[in-house]
Amino acid sequence: MTTSRLSPMDAAFVQLETSCTPMHVAALMVFEAPEEGVAAFVKRLMEDGRKETRITSPWNKVLMSGSRWQLAPSLVTSYDPDLEYHLRHLSLPSPGGEKELGQLVARLHSQPMDLRKLLWECVVIDGLEDNRFAIYVKFHHSIVDGVSGASLLMNGLSDHKDDLTTPPFWVHASPEKPLSLRSLNLPSLNAVMGTARNVLKMFGENDSLTTLRSAPRSPLNGRIGPQRRFATQAFPLERLKSVARHEGVTLNDVVTCLVGGSLRRYLQDITALPRDSLTAAIPMSLREEGDTSSGNAVGMIYSIVGTNIADPVIRLREIYASTRRAKKHVQQVPPQMRVPYSLASMAPAILKMLSGMGGTGRPMFNTVVSNVPGGRKEKYLRGARLLHLYPANIVFQGMAVSFTCYSHAGALNVGITACRDSVPHMQRLATGLTDALVELEQGLGIAGGDACL
């Protein structure tokens, strides 16, 4: 039996697991069925999947102890998957539109995983209108981050429409984690002390840098319940890039600006808009180039989202300035110290949640805005074309809504995950992203096309 101990970052997701804050992430993949039609295709897909006995890492990993109450969680390898449990088939009620799909995914995402079993679940969903079907794949966050999770799913798809024999996702292994030469270099005392000073800056008041003390109180940052809402939106990627090029900012800055515009309108509608801007934790990959191995390798920068700024153009420029300062702050940390720096900077939020005090007092940040890079090529599952991949993220005590993006074949797909009780008008956030893009383009004098796909 092969045993491997989780890293401190991976282990935190096991230790933070509760009934109200399940620590899993997921992807909703929407496909266009091939000519044989949805019913025949899904039937064959399920039959072939349940007959498959091969399983590779990390799909074959299970916790040695299926409990959150452990200091050093370890994984063991299992070669006998219970596919009747891990592979399921559900059908949407009529009319099978986006509303019905979102409601089903919200229920699936609300259900905690059984930590005694393999740390993934796969649900094939038919009944969608327009000859489509969907696949919802859930991973426990202790074994994947956004980059590694997306890589695992893309490995189970093909670049070719006529490839009709692609094995199920769990047959495709994640690559081994590469040995980084950086990790072999012991940091100097100056590097350690400099990193410590940078960490301390994140806990103090700062007029220029967005820190863990910059976030205002809002209705989105109290205690949350166990049920989730899920909404999606998709934009032409080139449309967002044209805005970024016009202003000389990044695509992430544009997305953050749209999130800020959507949250501003949402909070105005419920008369709860804070005077100061809401802030976002923005995940930043710490992986070496080409590293798509399983596990988590992610840090955080913090930025305003400009909810206190009415003009969308000024909002975008202020966000750009905020993220640029945050990136400069992280770049001051020596490369070999960036993982310890990230762990230390996230430690207060993790400790607050572990203590049961999450969602009380002033929040450390108000939301998460994450962008996982995808590919430009079309992808196929045994001839079925992948139309969209929408990420579903975690929310936790003190942070009731998160926005996660994935780019695929010319589209930016946004998945919005929220606490059902804390965000009762979820769809307003999705439509608010579209409205914010139109307002931004009008402010810049850019001609827009179709706002969403």
Side-chain angles (χ1 to χ4, degrees), residues 202 204-206 209-218 221 274-281 302-305 307 361-367 398:
M202 294 306 302
E205 299 285 355
N206 195 304
L209 185 67
T210 302
T211 73
L212 294 172
R213 297 190 64 184
S214 302
R217 298 175 188 266
S218 88
N221 302 110
R275 181 186 63 183
D276 296 327
S277 173
L278 267 62
T279 69
Y302 303 93
S303 170
I304 63 167
V305 297
T307 49
R362 186 173 176 174
M364 295 186 180
F365 49 89
N366 301 104
T367 189

Side-chain angles (χ1 to χ4, degrees), residues 31-43 125-128 130-133:
F31 292 89
E32 178 183 62
E35 293 180 359
E36 65 182 296
V38 172
F41 182 88
V42 167
K43 180 181 179 182
I125 304 167
D126 63 14
L128 275 73
D130 300 329
N131 196 42
R132 298 175 301 155
F133 68 96

